[in-house]
Amino acid sequence: MTYTTLRVEQADGICTVSPTRPELGHVINAQFLAELTEVVRGCEAADGPSVLVLTGGAQVFCGGGDFQAVAESDAVLDPAPLYDLWRRLAMGPFVSVAVTRGRVNAGGVGLAAACDMVLADHSASFALSELLFGLFPACVLPFLIRRVGEQRAHYLTLSTQPVNAAQALAWGLVDGVEDPVDGLLRKHLLRLRRLDKSAVGRYKLYRHDLSALVDAARPPALEANRAMFSDPATRTGIRRYVTEQKFPWEN
């Protein structure tokens, strides 16, 4: 397919995906989801790439959901495609690697946490800002809890404060930190590209069976997400933030 939100490169069994909208903070919208899902489907194929590398920009890996799209539409976006994309990253028969620089916010944290490995440079910071807008990270939490545990995910949700790369490494949200992060990625790819794809697939299914949180949490996560974005007061607050850059509590 033709990509408008992503740049996709494939070589030596490695598929590298880079977002192409830095002016929008690489936010997640319907087009981004459709395009990245198509890439992931290709990696799921038996003859597809065995490693999927997701990169971001120098300033922002992913700013989360597209508030502009929410503000401009009366429809409530279906969270299922996003949740199912993250599930595929977590369970697909390939190794998914998130390479993070700069700001990783809200749904961007979910995108990274769903991946098998998260690499970062020291500029990376991770935050869940949803409660500032009367929301909470319903779809993010099952993937984040698998990485950092319930209390740390709880703290990130309530504090809404960013944690730096060193803290994220200590908590297990990040697996490695190095400047520049490209060198760290190359070290990992030397081994990852040699792994047998069918063996990776069998292992990841087994790992999922050990802890079925992602599947068990899907129904309540989707229900909670739909309820939040259906709330008129919440939607009014989002529209005000988009148009006036003011948080809901600001006069």
Side-chain angles (χ1 to χ4, degrees):
M1 67 183 293
T2 301
Y3 301 103
T4 60
T5 68
L6 304 174
R7 183 174 67 253
V8 180
E9 301 172 339
Q10 294 193 34
D12 300 324
I14 300 167
C15 178
T16 303
V17 178
S18 307
T20 58
R21 299 171 302 156
E23 72 283 0
L24 299 178
H26 303 312
V27 292
I28 300 169
N29 62 12
Q31 185 66 25
F32 174 89
L33 282 177
E35 293 181 6
L36 185 52
T37 298
E38 184 67 21
V39 173
V40 170
R41 285 198 185 103
C43 294
E44 290 171 332
D47 60 349
S50 59
V51 181
L52 173 61
V53 178
L54 303 178
T55 71
Q59 304 300 319
V60 182
F61 171 74
C62 175
D66 187 353
F67 270 13
Q68 185 75 40
V70 174
E72 292 175 353
S73 173
D74 292 328
V76 177
L77 296 176
D78 183 6
L82 176 62
Y83 196 96
D84 293 342
L85 170 63
W86 291 347
R87 183 181 181 276
R88 288 174 124 144
L89 291 171
M91 296 179 58
F94 53 89
V95 181
S96 52
V97 183
V99 180
T100 60
R101 307 173 183 86
R103 188 164 60 93
V104 187
N105 185 61
V109 174
L111 180 62
C115 290
D116 298 312
M117 297 182 180
V118 180
L119 308 179
D121 70 9
H122 284 90
S123 73
S125 65
F126 301 81
L128 297 178
S129 61
E130 287 89 340
L131 275 175
L132 296 173
F133 303 95
L135 308 167
F136 63 88
C139 292
V140 173
L141 285 174
F143 298 90
L144 182 61
I145 287 171
R146 290 193 325 154
R147 275 195 158 267
V148 304
E150 291 188 7
Q151 179 54 37
R152 284 168 178 163
H154 182 53
Y155 172 81
L156 283 168
T157 300
L158 288 177
S159 73
T160 73
Q161 294 291 329
V163 297
N164 61 28
Q167 187 67 67
L169 178 64
W171 285 3
L173 177 52
V174 167
D175 300 300
V177 178
E178 188 174 293
D179 291 338
V181 70
D182 293 340
L184 184 60
L185 174 63
R186 283 193 295 271
K187 294 174 187 176
H188 282 77
L189 292 179
L190 288 174
R191 288 289 184 92
L192 293 177
R193 62 190 294 269
R194 302 296 183 186
L195 300 181
D196 178 77
K197 186 170 184 177
S198 61
V200 169
R202 290 193 299 269
Y203 158 67
K204 289 182 70 174
L205 285 175
Y206 170 71
R207 178 178 185 267
H208 175 69
D209 287 342
L210 295 178
S211 175
L213 172 62
V214 168
D215 283 348
R218 185 180 186 273
L222 299 186
E223 181 180 356
N225 187 281
R226 292 177 181 125
M228 285 186 290
F229 280 96
S230 297
D231 186 322
T234 298
R235 297 180 70 84
T236 297
I238 291 173
R239 290 191 181 99
R240 184 169 181 256
Y241 181 78
V242 169
T243 58
E244 302 178 28
Q245 293 298 295
K246 291 183 178 180
F247 289 106
W249 64 85
E250 292 182 302
N251 294 325

